[in-house]
Amino acid sequence: MLINKVVLARSGDKDALALVLEAMRPVLLKSLGNSLPPNLDQEDVVQETLLVIIEKIERLREPAYFLDWSKRILYNKRKEMIREQKAWLLVPLGDFAHFSSTDDYGSENRSALIECLKQIKQCYRETLFLSLIKDLPVQAVAKVQNIPEGTVRSRLHYGKQLLKNTYRFYEGD
């Protein structure tokens, strides 16, 4: 029954997709069990998983493997969300609060900057922190994060763009 709905959902039937998602929600919740830290909500992880399923269901090669495929997405999403929670331990925002009140930013802009940093993705936040705040060269950032130097440069470029756009949004421009 579910496999038939998955086949229809893969071909673009939105009603079948809705039925598949509705059927999968309790299965995914049960699969999570008590594997999350207390600061993460099971429903958030399941919703993020369902979004990935919606986006990628057309790429599913074999409908018979839908349940395994969905659970793999769930476990990867769970791991990613736990990693993002732990990222705040790697990049403490208290380090951003060392700006003096006499600098060009001022306390109002400093708090806005910290709020914006909270909004961008962990990989960009960590790279920006190490490079701009800790003043590490690209080579050292690459070694600390265990990634290629080109990736560091790319993350710095896109991270600065995200930070700028997030700051503009936060300020209401």
Side-chain angles (χ1 to χ4, degrees):
M1 170 85 177
L2 183 64
I3 294 175
N4 296 337
K5 296 293 182 192
V6 170
V7 170
L8 291 172
R10 276 181 53 206
S11 63
D13 185 348
K14 296 193 186 302
D15 294 331
L17 179 61
L19 290 172
V20 168
L21 295 177
E22 189 176 310
M24 286 305 297
R25 175 177 246 101
V27 172
L28 295 173
L29 282 168
K30 186 176 179 182
S31 295
L32 271 178
N34 292 326
S35 64
L36 290 177
N39 56 345
L40 274 179
D41 185 29
Q42 281 186 335
E43 193 63 37
D44 289 341
V45 177
V46 169
Q47 286 178 4
E48 291 292 324
T49 302
L50 292 175
L51 284 173
V52 173
I53 290 171
I54 290 169
E55 291 172 0
K56 298 186 178 184
I57 195 161
E58 294 168 351
R59 297 184 198 165
L60 176 64
R61 289 183 217 144
E62 183 59 46
Y65 299 128
F66 177 75
L67 186 60
D68 294 332
W69 179 74
S70 299
K71 286 183 179 180
R72 177 56 45 206
I73 293 172
L74 174 73
Y75 295 132
N76 288 338
K77 189 52 74 174
R78 180 185 121 248
K79 206 162 68 173
E80 178 185 323
M81 291 178 80
I82 289 171
R83 191 178 318 122
E84 285 177 0
Q85 288 289 324
K86 288 181 180 177
W88 290 108
L89 299 175
L90 293 174
V91 185
L93 288 176
D95 288 345
F96 293 105
H98 76 280
F99 296 121
S100 69
S101 59
T102 60
D103 63 14
D104 293 338
Y105 298 109
S107 63
E108 208 172 277
N109 289 336
R110 182 175 54 242
S111 63
L113 176 64
I114 292 171
E115 286 302 313
C116 292
L117 283 166
K118 288 179 183 178
Q119 301 300 318
I120 63 173
K121 216 172 170 184
Q122 181 262 332
C123 63
Y124 298 122
R125 181 174 53 242
E126 186 175 310
T127 304
L128 286 169
F129 174 79
L130 293 171
S131 179
L132 302 176
I133 305 301
K134 291 295 186 180
D135 204 26
L136 293 177
V138 171
Q139 297 83 5
V141 174
K143 195 174 273 190
V144 166
Q145 292 188 307
N146 197 23
I147 57 176
E149 291 179 21
T151 304
V152 171
R153 288 186 194 96
S154 174
R155 287 181 181 178
L156 284 172
H157 174 75
Y158 289 114
K160 287 175 184 177
Q161 285 182 336
L162 285 170
L163 190 61
K164 183 171 72 172
N165 292 338
T166 306
Y167 188 76
R168 284 184 183 155
F169 177 77
Y170 186 82
E171 290 295 311
D173 287 344

